[in-house]
Amino acid sequence: MARFTTTRYPGLSLQDDKGIWAQFTDGACETADQSTIKRLRTLPDDYEVAEVKDAPAETPPK
């Protein structure tokens, strides 16, 4: 699963001739589809879409 965000276009819909392939809600989009992940990672900078990297897991208390 990958998560992406955009503050510039919080309701961003990305589509091609086959239809919508990514939909942002409140500036966030989650997908497990590898093709969609690849496309989102290669969007031009003016879309201001960034992949959210998960924070490292907390070390459990001893």
Side-chain angles (χ1 to χ4, degrees):
M1 181 71 67
R3 293 182 299 159
F4 295 85
T5 61
T6 178
T7 55
R8 185 171 186 181
Y9 304 109
L12 181 64
S13 293
L14 298 166
Q15 63 183 18
D16 57 18
D17 58 332
K18 296 176 185 168
I20 295 174
W21 56 269
Q23 176 72 50
F24 286 74
T25 303
D26 296 328
C29 176
E30 289 189 3
T31 183
D33 181 74
Q34 292 301 311
S35 175
T36 300
I37 292 169
K38 182 178 179 182
R39 291 175 81 173
L40 287 167
R41 286 178 176 160
T42 59
L43 284 173
D45 291 340
D46 42 322
Y47 282 89
E48 295 182 16
V49 170
E51 186 171 4
V52 176
K53 303 293 183 187
D54 289 332
E58 292 183 25
T59 307
K62 294 182 181 181

